[in-house]
Amino acid sequence: MKSKIVFLFSGQGSQYPNMGKELFLNHPIFRKSIENSNVVFTNRLHRSLIDELYYNNTFHFNELLITHPAIVAIEIAMLETIKAYNVFPDYVFGQSLGEFVAAVASGVWTASDALEAAIEQAKRVGRSSVSGGMLTVVSSVAHREFKVYEQYGLYLAMDNFKGHFTVSGSLTNLDRYQHKLETDQILYSRVPVNVPFHSSLILEGFNGFSYLGGLDTELSTPNVSYVSSLNGGLKKRFDYQYFDQVVSSYSDFSKGICYLEQQEPCLYIDLGPSGTSANFTKRSIAKESKSYVYTILSPYTNVFRQLEKLTNNL
């Protein structure tokens, strides 16, 4: 039985300095896509996305106005690159900001619309007074089951796989919970964002108004099966408010993978910058699963070798 191809897209927290630089310098399709994104970025922000990604001394990890569109641009470029190898998805599945590009891959909206939306979303949050952060608990079934984070005023942002979850809230409350985790000798990592995504706090940044509805184009019905991180199943109709919901509401990555595993064996291809979605997927599927998970781009892989290996095995 031939495996179904699933494109995976990750969100905030998957960024790092010089992501995709090897492809930008040596792969014409990837480079052209980034250059196209740079036109949108420069027109809206009067800055160069290419400079921010590859030529400034310090990548702005905590500047949402840079990281939000940068992640989207990298994933769009990865999408265009993989399509050039005649690899096309049967399903798309994004988490959080990754759904912006999943919608591009499934024909819901265009690449430029996705970038415009990411920029405007970052602007609205920047104009607000909302602040905070996110923290990932690496392994604690007990803290998740008994909702220990709620004792510290935090919100459950994401379930990534069993015992691995992300919480969101104010910096003060995150610091308090971090101390608890250290006391309990539980591994954690702070997500490199200064915004409490996937919490009710982020809604203050949107002020109950969705600019995204002001975009000129209408959203289309997906032409590829689209798995939503909000309900863990297929989504067939979209409005612009949905793309505010995907960064402000709770998401369950493992539930989406569970849905996909119930269909047929899958070949999961992570088109995010860091292999985050591939990592979550490997830990969400059963040991006896006949599915395969593939990472292309990360700080630790030879991207051209990974592309060659993938295409040779299809």
Side-chain angles (χ1 to χ4, degrees), residues 94-97 99-100 121 134 155-160 166-168 196-203 206 228-231 241-253:
Q95 186 178 39
S96 190
L97 182 63
E99 292 213 37
F100 282 53
Q121 195 173 79
M134 304 177 74
Y155 302 85
L156 179 63
M158 302 175 182
D159 276 310
N160 304 314
T166 302
V167 295
S168 182
F197 287 110
H198 301 281
S199 75
S200 60
L201 298 177
I202 195 66
L203 295 175
F206 296 150
S228 167
S229 67
L230 298 189
N231 63 21
Q241 285 71 26
Y242 178 76
F243 295 98
D244 280 346
Q245 294 169 10
V246 298
V247 301
S248 61
S249 302
Y250 163 79
S251 71
D252 190 338
F253 186 88

Side-chain angles (χ1 to χ4, degrees), residues 97 137 145 205:
L97 182 63
V137 178
E145 181 179 350

Side-chain angles (χ1 to χ4, degrees), residues 134-293:
M134 304 177 74
L135 178 152
T136 294
V137 178
V138 174
S139 181
S140 179
V141 174
H143 269 238
R144 173 65 183 90
E145 181 179 350
F146 296 106
K147 301 180 180 179
V148 176
Y149 50 86
E150 289 187 349
Q151 300 172 21
Y152 298 85
L154 299 174
Y155 302 85
L156 179 63
M158 302 175 182
D159 276 310
N160 304 314
F161 53 89
K162 188 175 181 179
H164 190 288
F165 60 96
T166 302
V167 295
S168 182
S170 71
L171 292 177
T172 298
N173 289 344
L174 285 169
D175 288 342
R176 291 173 56 234
Y177 185 48
Q178 179 175 320
H179 179 71
K180 170 65 174 172
L181 292 169
E182 290 170 347
T183 300
D184 291 351
Q185 297 185 324
I186 294 172
L187 294 176
Y188 67 89
S189 63
R190 292 294 280 260
V191 181
V193 298
N194 55 11
V195 175
F197 287 110
H198 301 281
S199 75
S200 60
L201 298 177
I202 195 66
L203 295 175
E204 299 173 16
F206 296 150
N207 296 317
F209 168 74
S210 178
Y211 160 88
L212 307 186
L215 293 174
D216 293 335
T217 55
E218 293 185 5
L219 297 178
S220 301
T221 301
N223 54 34
V224 175
S225 295
Y226 187 109
V227 179
S228 167
S229 67
L230 298 189
N231 63 21
L234 292 184
K235 185 169 179 62
K236 298 181 179 180
R237 293 181 177 85
F238 291 82
D239 57 29
Y240 283 96
Q241 285 71 26
Y242 178 76
F243 295 98
D244 280 346
Q245 294 169 10
V246 298
V247 301
S248 61
S249 302
Y250 163 79
S251 71
D252 190 338
F253 186 88
S254 56
K255 186 176 180 181
I257 296 300
C258 181
Y259 170 83
L260 287 161
E261 286 292 289
Q262 292 171 356
Q263 312 309 308
E264 299 180 54
C266 294
L267 171 60
Y268 298 96
I269 304 175
D270 189 344
L271 296 182
S274 63
T276 301
S277 295
N279 181 41
F280 292 171
T281 302
K282 289 176 183 177
R283 286 159 175 77
S284 296
I285 61 178
K287 290 183 179 179
E288 63 272 17
S289 172
K290 295 181 180 180
S291 296
Y292 189 77
V293 186

